[in-house]
Amino acid sequence: MTLTAFGALDADWEAHHRADPDFLPGSAYDVSPDLPPIGQYAGARYTQVEHIGGRVLVYDMTEYPGADSQEATVAALKELPGDAKLVWSQQKDTCMQLQYQSETLARTLGPLDPDGGVLVELTTFDNARGYFYSPSSVGKAILSGLFDATADTSGGC
């Protein structure tokens, strides 16, 4: 199975996403006028992309305006292999955390992510309040290759 989203080899990621020329190479992809602007630049679907060990293992996924937590969760799940299972979830003041685990990711990523874990954090930001969690208006989903077996051992958003 070729991964083209979370866990993808850099070459596979690059083949399936358009680099945003307004940002550092490899850090932002898939510009869209339908997304909120980033400063003076057009919005991009993927930002803060981190390439680790030749694979894409961390990124922020900008949600379309008006996306609620259900829509954002569905969008995040599309980034993961079909065998990803929800391990736990918890709401915090600044985000909703969802811990997924995938055998496909564990096999494919090996020592880069031996548990096949992906932490998804849904959050919203505005200049007046900073970061907060609103289930009716999710601004981004942050995906990272982390695994905590329980919500009690997870870090904060």
Side-chain angles (χ1 to χ4, degrees), residues 2-157:
T2 300
L3 300 175
T4 59
F6 187 87
L9 287 166
D10 290 341
D12 292 331
W13 175 273
E14 296 288 338
H16 289 86
H17 300 279
R18 295 174 321 278
D20 184 339
D22 291 325
F23 294 90
L24 291 174
S27 68
Y29 295 84
D30 296 349
V31 175
S32 173
D34 297 331
L35 294 170
I38 303 170
Q40 64 189 12
Y41 303 109
R45 180 69 165 162
Y46 302 98
T47 60
Q48 307 296 318
V49 178
E50 293 186 32
H51 303 263
I52 301 167
R55 293 191 177 267
V56 174
L57 295 178
V58 178
Y59 53 86
D60 293 3
M61 190 171 66
T62 305
E63 297 301 329
Y64 291 93
D68 63 23
S69 62
Q70 182 177 4
E71 291 165 316
T73 300
V74 168
L77 276 171
K78 288 179 181 178
E79 301 290 303
L80 306 179
D83 68 344
K85 303 274 191 274
L86 182 65
V87 178
W88 55 262
S89 64
Q90 69 178 339
Q91 183 173 330
K92 295 192 168 194
D93 290 341
T94 58
C95 77
M96 169 64 83
Q97 292 181 319
L98 305 149
Q99 178 69 69
Y100 291 94
Q101 191 170 26
S102 162
E103 289 297 321
T104 299
L105 286 174
R107 274 192 318 276
T108 304
L109 301 177
L112 291 173
D113 189 357
D115 295 306
V118 180
L119 181 64
V120 175
E121 294 178 319
L122 307 178
T123 190
T124 301
F125 177 84
D126 73 30
N127 290 328
R129 293 176 63 186
Y131 284 100
F132 62 98
Y133 175 65
S134 171
S136 62
S137 178
V138 174
K140 73 168 77 175
I142 303 165
L143 287 80
S144 53
L146 301 172
F147 183 72
D148 287 299
T150 68
D152 294 339
T153 59
S154 74
C157 313

